[in-house]
Amino acid sequence: MPDQRVLLIMKDNPSFIYSFIALMAIGCIPVPLNPKIEENVLTHILHDSRAAGVIIDLEEYDGLRQ
């Protein structure tokens, strides 16, 4: 997945750092987002960024589903 963007919707914790570094190591472009981003803004970013994937904290995912 070289040059592919991957969104990171995570709090600042070790998992965020590990994910960010791992994505860079395999040639991806990490795109960190604020976990408290508004849903309409997130939708726009998802469509506009051409992201190949998303890494999200479980609690943030649960919050978006509601």
Side-chain angles (χ1 to χ4, degrees):
M1 285 185 6
D3 297 327
Q4 293 293 317
R5 292 168 182 80
V6 177
L7 303 180
L8 294 172
I9 306 173
M10 307 173 77
K11 292 182 178 175
D12 292 336
N13 58 32
S15 296
F16 170 81
I17 296 168
Y18 302 146
S19 298
F20 193 95
I21 293 170
L23 289 168
M24 288 181 18
I26 62 172
C28 291
I29 302 168
V31 180
L33 297 175
N34 184 334
K36 302 301 178 196
I37 193 167
E38 294 179 13
E39 188 175 342
N40 61 333
V41 176
L42 177 59
T43 301
H44 175 73
I45 292 171
L46 285 170
H47 293 290
D48 191 51
S49 69
R50 300 183 324 254
V54 177
I55 300 175
I56 185 169
D57 286 332
L58 181 58
E59 67 183 50
E60 303 306 328
Y61 176 74
D62 288 340
L64 284 175
R65 288 184 23 196
Q66 296 177 7

